[in-house]
Amino acid sequence: MIRKRSNIPVSIDFSVLFLRVFSSFFMLTHGYDKFMKMFSGDWSFADPIGLGEPNSLFLAVFAEFFCSILVIIGLFTRPALFVLGTTMTIIAFIVHKSDPIGDKEHALLFLIIYTAIFLTGPGKFSLDNRFFSKK
């Protein structure tokens, strides 16, 4: 575990909070639509890695909806970011592999943001910090 320096400016923690909340809120809007689709009983969905449409939809909902909520509140942030990063990688490099960069752009931007937060950690203003940090 990387030890956090006590002299890190609070502006860094606010920046991480800002990135966590807003990027995940935008991802949550994608996940919510898929969640409502699944909830209504419509399990048709793309199957980019051969798991079957229902499984692919379930995994997309888990990542984009539930993991986004975890990132917003800062609970189990790194595992949730790993799931979201994996999803964005699949979208960018498998679903849109033959498409121009403009079609990959959203997934790549989310991937970059999620990777940055993964590397820095969820910050001081997170439930992870409250429950799991060594004081």
Side-chain angles (χ1 to χ4, degrees):
M1 179 63 89
I2 298 173
R3 297 193 75 151
K4 191 170 181 175
R5 297 184 331 242
S6 61
N7 60 348
I8 293 177
V10 73
S11 62
I12 300 293
D13 289 307
F14 276 115
S15 298
V16 172
L17 174 67
F18 186 83
L19 282 174
R20 257 190 23 237
V21 169
F22 286 101
S23 64
S24 296
F25 172 77
F26 288 123
M27 180 55 65
L28 187 64
T29 64
H30 295 281
Y32 179 77
D33 291 340
K34 291 175 183 79
F35 179 68
M36 294 313 293
K37 173 186 174 92
M38 189 175 77
F39 192 71
S40 73
D42 180 3
W43 290 85
S44 60
F45 194 68
D47 186 21
I49 56 176
L51 298 175
E53 290 181 12
N55 291 333
S56 294
L57 177 60
F58 176 79
L59 290 172
V61 167
F62 176 74
E64 296 177 10
F65 187 74
F66 293 104
C67 287
S68 290
I69 292 170
L70 289 174
V71 172
I72 288 169
I73 64 175
L75 183 62
F76 304 115
T77 307
R78 283 191 167 119
L81 288 167
F82 180 80
V83 171
L84 283 160
T86 301
T87 302
M88 295 302 104
T89 301
I90 291 169
I91 292 169
F93 298 111
I94 296 176
V95 173
H96 292 293
K97 74 177 176 185
S98 302
D99 296 337
I101 191 73
D103 293 342
K104 300 175 186 182
E105 182 179 352
H106 282 100
L108 292 173
L109 287 171
F110 278 115
L111 179 60
I112 290 165
I113 293 168
Y114 292 149
T115 301
I117 299 168
F118 185 89
L119 293 172
T120 62
K124 179 179 176 181
F125 306 112
S126 67
L127 291 177
D128 284 341
N129 183 61
R130 180 163 179 94
F131 296 139
F132 305 118
S133 81
K134 296 176 184 174
K135 302 210 184 222

